Amino acid sequence: MPLFPVLVLSLFPVLVLFLVAQATRIAPVGQLFVYELHREIYQADFNPVSKIYGSVHNDPIVFKCNKQFFPDLPRWLRFTQRHPYDNGFLYGTPQEQDKGKNIIEITVINKQSYETFGDVLIINVVPPVKKMPYQAEFFVPRREIEKVLPSSVQDEIKRDIQRMWGTEELDFVNISNALDHGGRVPLPLPGHFEGVYVKLGSEKFYSKCLLDLQTPQHHKDCEALSKVPGRKFIKLPGDCSTCSDTSNCVAWCKSTLIDLSHPAPPPPAPTMGSGILEAGQDYNPPESPPPRDYFPDYIATVIIPFVLAILLCLILAYIMCCRREGVEKRDGMTPDLQLYHHTTIHCNTTELRSMAGVREGVLQPLSTLPMFNARTGERVPPTQGLYPTDSPHIPLIMAQQEPNVDPLPR
């Protein structure tokens, strides 16, 4: 007996999945379809034992929806979920070509524990139940699509439009985001909304109030109102819109009427011929185009860039090669003291490199002597201090020493 409750609890998720997978909804053609995915239901499915103890977690949940065997939803169906802590909505309006059975796979992801749960929704698109030849579209600027899809908000908007239309026989045809109509993404600040377009239809004709939307005076008033800075708080003389909630107020200048009672006739079908030419007529093939001279294009695209490249190379060659001073001219413009300094550095470097391989039996480098002649290596008495006046070079370092003191040991 104790094993029976454990077996029931272990099979509970499978039973719930089997029961939920059989959920079927009907979507008539031309009418709005909305299916809400409640987080609370799937939250309990992740932890079925918590139902017994009355504790339900509040984990963030994300829904992923797609048509079975397809990566995306049908073209008429859309899904939206603003935040992982909000419910998801499947909504859309099917058309005649969408009739049939649609199997929607729903993947539920718990972002807290990363557990997944699978669900299946079957949507049967059936022929239209009601004829709604008279339709009207209204813009609700202070709403977002997730806030309009719940049934309670839809009823509030419908009641407001029923008072304008003068009839209670209204049904939603479509609800779409203003971004789908070319609207801009609002700033992430309080009081800024995306806006929602709601379309309703009825079998009854428009009221006199709604017919004012088609008058030339209405278009003139709206055009003049668009130039006023504080136009959001100005109401037109012919505006008969009412709203029980300020968030559901419609923009009167963006309301339009759609009369489908007199549909446009389809274009006539093309006349099919026999495909055989009549007797006495010959087939005249089209003439070949006239010849074209491509030589100017060749000059513009090949010759001119090639000539410019050659001129650039010549200029660079002249700058790099023909304007060089040369070693003699450079040495002639350089002071003797600077030339002697650089020559001494090169000579000392060569001498130190030659002494690096042999550590013994080498005489003291001339560069370490107090004063020497760069040409002969002859030492100069320290008392002299300077080279003879006829010497072509001047030593870089002038040694100042006592007369009989040798700076380096011998």
Side-chain angles (χ1 to χ4, degrees), residues 5-61:
V6 177
L7 181 61
V8 171
L9 292 176
S10 61
L11 295 178
F12 185 77
V14 180
L15 296 176
V16 171
L17 176 61
F18 177 77
L19 294 175
V20 175
Q22 302 301 318
T24 304
R25 296 294 183 270
I26 297 176
V29 172
Q31 288 186 242
L32 177 66
F33 170 81
V34 178
Y35 182 78
E36 185 174 2
L37 302 174
H38 296 275
R39 292 180 54 258
E40 295 79 7
I41 297 177
Y42 295 100
Q43 184 72 69
D45 293 335
F46 282 113
N47 299 305
V49 182
S50 61
K51 288 184 177 181
I52 302 176
Y53 299 98
S55 61
V56 179
H57 299 278
N58 187 24
D59 299 335
I61 293 178

Side-chain angles (χ1 to χ4, degrees), residues 337 370-371 385-387 394-401:
L337 183 61
M371 188 66 66
L386 293 174
Y387 271 85
I394 301 175
L396 180 62
I397 302 174
M398 303 298 181
Q400 300 294 336
Q401 300 178 355

Side-chain angles (χ1 to χ4, degrees), residues 262-393:
H262 303 286
T271 304
M272 303 299 294
S274 61
I276 302 174
L277 293 175
E278 298 179 1
Q281 296 182 1
D282 297 332
Y283 174 70
N284 296 323
E287 298 180 358
S288 60
R292 180 182 175 183
D293 188 11
Y294 292 97
F295 185 72
D297 298 338
Y298 174 76
I299 293 177
T301 58
V302 178
I303 300 299
I304 294 178
F306 183 71
V307 172
L308 294 177
I310 291 178
L311 292 177
L312 181 61
C313 292
L314 292 177
I315 293 173
L316 292 177
Y318 173 74
I319 294 174
M320 298 296 295
C321 301
C322 299
R323 293 182 63 85
R324 298 178 65 90
E325 296 178 351
V327 178
E328 296 181 358
K329 184 177 180 180
R330 184 189 59 189
D331 292 346
M333 298 175 61
T334 305
D336 292 344
L337 183 61
Q338 187 176 355
L339 285 176
Y340 182 77
H341 173 63
H342 288 287
T343 303
T344 305
I345 292 175
H346 286 294
C347 294
N348 295 341
T349 302
T350 303
E351 186 178 8
L352 292 175
R353 287 179 178 176
S354 62
M355 294 173 59
V358 182
R359 298 295 182 180
E360 298 178 356
V362 181
L363 298 177
Q364 183 179 357
L366 295 177
S367 59
T368 60
L369 299 178
M371 188 66 66
F372 63 95
N373 193 312
R375 294 178 180 177
T376 62
E378 181 182 359
R379 294 184 59 189
V380 179
T383 55
Q384 183 175 348
L386 293 174
Y387 271 85
T389 57
D390 59 347
S391 176
H393 296 287

